């Protein structure tokens, strides 16, 4: 017999001896209570086969935005765990008895993309993954939940009874809400007519910028803003669209939004020709000339597409003060028109980080471009329509896409 067999025999003898000793105890030792059926720690009914699995990219952080409501932006990564097609029919974000967001029908293709192909139809082939961009909204801070549950209805190509039916309602794991307050900053620019032309919380290019970096998905631009300054007639440019000088944004001062040191910067990348899409850029060149500033609390400010040559003579390690001029607005890197790209992130890396919400402590909301279609149509120089119904002074709010602001 092997030594392994001998040890097993000893264990069995010891177990038999223990059982004998237990049987020989006196009646003074009370017998353990017999659990009733209602005390069972497990019930098979609590488990259900799930044709999909659901993961969250980052826990949502609540922030008050320019519509006066509290937004919690995050993403759900859904994997088809079967070999056949599944269709996502609805996604509901709920907290207790409240539904925070409900997506179905035509709403889903607007906020869904398959990983790799980018398709908007909410259908996943066997083993395929897709992402749903969520924006759970409540009216007041008192309404912010501690966590969010998700109910996702999926339709399989065929049922596999008794394991699962054609239509299955999947209750995904609970997502905690991050109670860390959004960082409070000053504006990165000054003057009127600054349009948030690419921002949260619709599925804009910034929100859709989910990048596989260092073996993981990263969402650094979740709350990023592309700032463009409009002309007096609310147009993007005035004159030759291929000339940098036709854009009122070009050459404007970029301001530090808080105190803190520079931890990374580039200064030698050339201007791009407006109206053309740059090609052949490395990952780091996408930001053009940029500055990364440590603004404390594990947060970093990213200012991108600055003019070349470092006109302020800044250096890595130099401490900036809020309101300092740190550069001039340019058109470097992945840019087809002069603008400032700004966002706050969880690490010094502009790409391998989590995009964090921020509030600007004081500004004037001049108005809003009514729709995404209105935003797209005006890139040819047509004046933007501006709805001023909600114009007024704002304090400690996060700008939403299509808002027009003055920082004076």
């Amino acid at each position: 017999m092997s030594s392994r067999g001998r040890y097993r025999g000893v264990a069995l003898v010891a177990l038999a001896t223990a059982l004998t000793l237990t049987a020989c105890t006196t009646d003074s030792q009370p017998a353990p209570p017999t659990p009733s059926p209602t005390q069972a720690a497990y019930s098979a009914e609590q488990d259900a086969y799930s044709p999909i699995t659901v993961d969250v990219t980052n826990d949502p952080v609540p922030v008050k935005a320019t519509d006066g409501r509290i937004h919690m932006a995050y993403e759900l990564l859904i994997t088809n765990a079967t070999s056949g097609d599944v269709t996502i029919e609805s996604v509901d974000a709920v907290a207790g008895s409240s539904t925070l967001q409900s997506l179905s029908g035509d709403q889903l293709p607007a906020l869904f993309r398959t990983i790799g192909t980018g398709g908007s139809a909410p259908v996943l082939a066997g083993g395929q993954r897709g992402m749903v961009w969520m924006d759970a909204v409540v009216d007041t801070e008192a309404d912010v939940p501690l966590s969010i549950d998700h109910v996702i209805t999926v339709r399989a190509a065929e049922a596999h009874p008794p394991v699962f039916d054609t239509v299955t309602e999947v209750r995904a794991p609970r997502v905690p809400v991050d109670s860390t307050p959004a960082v409070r900053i000053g504006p990165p620019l000054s003057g009127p007519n600054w349009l948030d032309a690419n921002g949260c919380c619709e599925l804009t290019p910034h929100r859709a910028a989910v990048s596989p970096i260092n073996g993981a998905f990263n969402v650094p631009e979740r709350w990023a803003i592309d700032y463009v300054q409009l002309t007096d007639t609310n147009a993007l440019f005035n004159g030759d669209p291929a000339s940098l000088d036709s854009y009122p944004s070009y050459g404007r001062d970029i301001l530090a939004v808080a105190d803190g040191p520079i931890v990374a910067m580039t200064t030698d990348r050339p201007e791009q020709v407006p109206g053309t899409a740059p090609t052949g850029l490395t990952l780091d060149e996408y930001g053009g000339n940029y500055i990364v500033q440590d603004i404390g609390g594990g947060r970093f400010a990213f200012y991108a597409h600055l003019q070349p040559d470092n006109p302020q003579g800044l250096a890595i390690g130099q401490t900036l003060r809020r309101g300092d001029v740190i550069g001039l607005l340019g058109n470097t890197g992945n840019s087809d028109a002069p603008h400032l790209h700004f966002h706050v992130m969880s690490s010094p890396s502009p790409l391998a980080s989590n995009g964090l919400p921020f509030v600007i402590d004081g500004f004037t909301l001049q108005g809003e471009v009514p729709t995404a279609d209105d935003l797209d149509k005006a890139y040819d120089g047509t004046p933007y329509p501006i709805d001023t119904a909600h114009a007024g002074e704002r304090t400690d709010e996060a700008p939403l896409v299509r808002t027009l602001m003055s920082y004076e």
Side-chain angles (χ1 to χ4, degrees):
M1 180 184 289
S2 69
S3 60
R4 186 173 182 180
R6 290 199 299 273
Y7 291 138
R8 185 181 295 115
V10 171
L12 290 172
V13 170
L15 178 59
T17 302
L19 291 172
T20 302
L21 290 174
T22 301
C24 294
T25 56
T26 66
D27 292 339
S28 61
Q29 297 291 330
T34 301
S36 67
T38 58
Q39 293 176 320
Y42 168 77
S43 170
E45 294 178 356
Q46 71 192 45
D47 292 335
Y49 180 82
S50 174
I52 61 169
T53 62
V54 184
D55 298 287
V56 64
T57 51
N58 302 98
D59 295 343
V61 180
V63 61
K64 185 179 180 181
T66 45
D67 62 356
R69 308 182 74 195
I70 311 298
H71 289 253
M72 292 166 280
Y74 59 104
E75 300 79 33
L76 297 178
L77 187 60
I78 300 175
T79 303
N80 179 0
T82 75
S83 60
D85 291 354
V86 297
T87 300
I88 302 168
E89 296 195 332
S90 65
V91 178
D92 292 320
V94 298
S97 60
S98 300
T99 299
L100 310 182
Q101 186 178 16
S102 183
L103 302 174
S104 61
D106 292 340
Q107 297 167 316
L108 266 173
L111 293 170
F112 173 88
R113 297 292 182 270
T114 52
I115 300 300
T117 65
S120 61
V123 180
L124 297 174
Q128 193 173 35
R129 309 180 86 187
M131 185 166 286
V132 181
W133 279 261
M134 303 296 293
D135 179 29
V137 180
V138 295
D139 290 329
T140 69
E141 292 183 2
D143 298 322
V144 174
L146 296 176
S147 60
I148 302 175
D149 293 306
H150 298 88
V151 181
I152 302 174
T153 302
V154 297
R155 180 180 295 275
E158 59 178 322
H160 289 272
V163 178
F164 67 92
D165 294 326
T166 304
V167 177
T168 306
E169 188 177 87
V170 176
R171 295 188 174 271
R174 180 167 292 173
V175 176
V177 174
D178 188 339
S179 61
T180 306
V183 63
R184 188 173 188 254
I185 61 173
L189 299 154
S190 63
N193 292 356
W194 289 107
L195 177 66
D196 180 348
N198 182 8
C200 205
C201 285
E202 300 166 10
L203 190 53
T204 60
H206 279 166
R207 273 223 71 187
V210 179
S211 303
I213 305 292
N214 301 334
F217 283 118
N218 295 267
V219 195
E221 300 181 10
R222 183 182 293 112
W223 286 95
I225 294 177
D226 276 350
Y227 281 106
V228 295
Q229 190 175 38
L230 304 186
T231 68
D232 292 339
T233 60
N234 295 326
L236 181 61
F237 58 86
N238 183 18
D240 180 3
S243 172
L244 291 168
D245 293 331
S246 296
Y247 296 81
S249 312
Y250 186 68
R252 299 298 183 189
D253 290 343
I254 308 300
L255 309 178
V257 298
D259 297 348
I262 297 173
V263 296
M265 64 185 300
T266 59
T267 63
D268 60 353
R269 288 160 183 172
E271 300 281 15
Q272 305 286 2
V273 177
T276 61
T279 59
L281 300 176
T282 66
L283 283 178
D284 192 59
E285 290 173 335
Y286 270 70
N289 298 311
Y290 64 77
I291 290 175
V292 177
Q293 179 193 13
D294 185 345
I295 59 175
R299 299 178 177 98
F300 299 83
F302 181 56
Y303 314 80
H305 309 304
L306 279 58
Q307 288 188 13
D309 300 329
N310 189 14
Q312 275 61 46
L314 303 178
I316 293 175
Q318 180 176 340
T319 296
L320 303 174
R321 301 298 179 191
R322 172 177 163 158
D324 285 350
V325 177
I326 63 173
L328 302 178
L329 190 149
N331 192 48
T332 58
N334 187 36
S335 179
D336 59 4
H339 72 282
L340 170 67
H341 173 107
F342 175 81
H343 71 246
V344 175
M345 54 197 180
S346 63
S347 83
S349 170
L351 294 176
S353 59
N354 177 32
L356 301 173
F358 54 89
V359 296
I360 298 177
D361 55 12
F363 60 98
T364 301
L365 180 67
Q366 295 177 261
E368 302 163 290
V369 177
T371 69
D373 286 342
D374 292 328
L375 200 63
D376 293 340
K377 290 175 184 176
Y379 283 122
D380 64 357
T382 303
Y384 291 92
I386 304 296
D387 180 356
T388 60
H390 302 291
E393 299 303 311
R394 299 303 180 96
T395 302
D396 295 341
E397 292 183 352
L400 294 175
V401 66
R402 297 185 278 106
T403 54
L404 185 68
M405 294 159 283
S406 176
Y407 298 131
E408 292 185 301

